[in-house]
Amino acid sequence: MTQLTTSPAASALRTLAEEGGHESLNAYAIGGGALAALLLLLWITTRLNRDR
């Protein structure tokens, strides 16, 4: 397999993916946090958009 990226971040992500993640990483918590952040950004955007 050829190595496409050589950045340290890509290497760390590849290592995490191969090991199956870390015990402190909870997929539901990460997904819920991302959803909450996106909903907050959507709410802020709609409150600041007054040209409609």
Side-chain angles (χ1 to χ4, degrees):
M1 183 171 163
T2 62
Q3 182 137 356
L4 297 176
T5 58
T6 57
S7 71
S11 175
L13 286 174
R14 189 177 307 111
T15 303
L16 273 177
E18 290 170 355
E19 292 175 359
H22 193 267
E23 292 84 20
S24 67
L25 294 177
N26 184 353
Y28 291 110
I30 293 172
L35 178 63
L38 288 172
L39 287 173
L40 177 66
L41 287 173
L42 178 64
W43 183 79
I44 291 171
T45 301
T46 55
R47 295 303 106 199
L48 293 176
N49 185 12
R50 297 288 177 192
D51 356 336
R52 44 188 161 147

